[in-house]
Amino acid sequence: MKILIVDDCTASVSSMKEVLANAGYTTTIAVSHFEQAMAVLSASAETDASVDLVIIGVDMPGIGGIGAVLTIKSHRAYEDIPVIVVTEHNDEAILDQAFAAGASDYIVKPVSAIELRARVRSALQLRREMVKRLLRERELERLARKLERMSNLDSLTGLANRRCFDDTLVKEWVRNGRADAHLGLIMLDIDHFKHYNDALGHVDGDTCLRRVAEAIKGVVHRPGDMVARYGGEEFAVILPGTDYTGAMAVADNIHASVAQTSIEHPDSAVSCVVTVSIGVSSGIPTCGSTPEQLIQAADRALYEAKEAGRNRTRSTCLPGPEDLRQ
């Protein structure tokens, strides 16, 4: 483990380095000024060989040992590094200031070899426990983020799931409403998917769902857009800042992308390949309307597309703010 000694007393530094080397602590760096110490800490933080313990003289020049401890502990990258202060006077006021600044221990000069070894051993044990705790916390945070992502994803297609769709639609409804911007929504259904499953089985049905999901994702490019599996063979696309014309253009691209997959459908009354029916809605969110109304409008349009023969798009626009004021 790496130890940094910060002291302008050459004799004291030499004595401590010798004691530490004899105790097996061979990675020891000694500097005489605080600026040099901060440079060492900064360089070490950028590598895997970070400083594990700082031993600092209270009477060092410049900002002094107490100010140095306070500065080191104020940096997020160094706040978990134990600091031992070395003082010539066993003054309770000075020690109180040092502990208040963040020091974890102290040694009074002249430094006893036995005391130095014991206090360094104790401080490094504390450092090991801190590192272990930090690694555990990071792993828990990583797992929490992974679980959060998994809870928002559809396991079959990798798209956002219904829960994520519902949460995102409400957020975008509020955000676009504040900006007085259009919010577009696309609902689409694989045509005669039950017949596809009955003819080829659920394994091929799952493959079909994944390929259609990829086809939809392939034409929805903007970072703020969201493609979700709404349920069964139904998908949804949230299009922030998108009016009727823009949403219809995305729907056309989805039709083309699904057609390019050329997934054979053995029992469709529409085509020999898999097709989709699409409902589009768009509007500016207002106090007099709700996200549910946007969904209902897209769902009605989807129903109309199916009734009109499938493999096509129908649309419904929500009333605008001007219409609601009339």
Side-chain angles (χ1 to χ4, degrees):
M1 302 186 82
K2 184 184 291 186
I3 300 173
L4 172 62
I5 301 175
V6 190
D7 201 322
D8 63 332
C9 178
T10 305
S12 179
V13 170
S14 297
S15 174
M16 286 190 286
K17 287 187 69 175
E18 182 179 357
V19 171
L20 293 173
N22 290 335
Y25 303 113
T26 56
T27 311
T28 303
I29 302 172
V31 297
S32 56
H33 297 285
F34 174 67
E35 291 75 13
Q36 295 172 318
M38 292 303 294
V40 171
L41 287 169
S42 178
S44 298
E46 296 175 359
T47 68
D48 292 333
S50 60
V51 171
D52 297 295
L53 171 64
V54 176
I55 302 174
I56 191 165
V58 168
D59 302 316
M60 62 180 296
I63 66 172
I66 305 299
V69 173
L70 193 60
T71 303
I72 290 171
K73 288 296 182 177
S74 68
H75 283 259
R76 185 174 178 80
Y78 317 138
E79 63 182 355
D80 287 334
I81 300 176
V83 177
I84 297 176
V85 295
V86 181
T87 177
E88 294 182 357
H89 310 287
N90 194 2
D91 189 320
E92 288 188 358
I94 294 177
L95 294 178
D96 186 54
Q97 292 175 14
F99 287 128
S104 55
D105 208 342
Y106 74 98
I107 301 174
V108 178
K109 293 181 181 179
V111 178
S112 160
I114 295 175
E115 184 180 9
L116 178 62
R117 287 194 298 267
R119 295 191 185 275
V120 166
R121 183 166 58 248
S122 176
L124 289 177
Q125 180 60 36
L126 175 63
R127 172 62 172 171
R128 291 187 192 96
E129 293 301 322
M130 286 181 172
V131 171
K132 288 179 182 178
R133 184 201 68 196
L134 182 61
L135 292 175
R136 283 196 299 268
E137 288 176 353
R138 287 178 178 173
E139 179 63 14
L140 288 173
E141 289 174 0
R142 186 189 67 81
L143 291 174
R145 288 193 298 269
K146 182 179 179 180
L147 287 172
E148 179 66 20
R149 286 194 302 270
M150 290 174 63
S151 70
N152 285 324
L153 291 179
D154 173 62
S155 59
L156 176 64
T157 63
L159 299 178
N161 60 18
R162 176 66 179 273
R163 170 191 169 186
C164 187
F165 168 84
D166 290 339
D167 291 344
T168 302
L169 184 62
V170 171
K171 291 175 184 176
E172 291 298 339
W173 183 266
V174 173
R175 190 176 69 83
N176 284 262
R178 286 174 178 166
D180 204 27
H182 283 84
L183 178 62
L185 177 64
I186 292 175
M187 305 287 286
L188 63 139
D189 215 13
I190 300 176
D191 295 326
H192 299 300
F193 184 69
K194 184 179 184 303
H195 295 169
Y196 187 97
N197 262 343
D198 290 344
L200 299 178
H202 290 285
V203 173
D204 284 351
D206 288 348
T207 300
C208 175
L209 287 169
R210 283 192 289 266
R211 292 183 65 185
V212 170
E214 287 297 325
I216 300 169
K217 283 198 301 183
V219 296
V220 179
H221 303 296
R222 298 184 309 175
D225 297 340
M226 170 184 279
V227 181
R229 186 181 179 193
Y230 195 71
E233 68 272 23
E234 194 169 2
F235 299 88
V237 184
I238 299 174
L239 301 168
T242 305
D243 60 11
Y244 166 80
T245 303
M248 288 294 288
V250 174
D252 290 342
N253 290 337
I254 291 173
H255 275 299
S257 183
V258 172
Q260 286 177 1
T261 61
S262 300
I263 307 169
E264 288 189 23
H265 196 313
D267 191 14
S268 171
V270 180
S271 172
C272 60
V273 296
V274 167
T275 58
V276 294
S277 296
I278 299 179
V280 172
S281 63
S282 179
I284 298 175
T286 66
C287 295
S289 57
T290 65
E292 289 74 20
Q293 289 175 318
L294 187 68
I295 295 174
Q296 289 166 4
D299 207 39
R300 282 196 305 270
L302 175 58
Y303 177 79
E304 291 172 6
K306 291 180 179 180
E307 287 294 297
R310 301 178 187 266
N311 191 25
R312 65 197 66 217
T313 300
R314 291 292 183 265
S315 62
T316 304
C317 288
L318 289 182
E322 296 80 8
D323 300 319
L324 292 171
R325 285 193 288 265
Q326 291 178 358

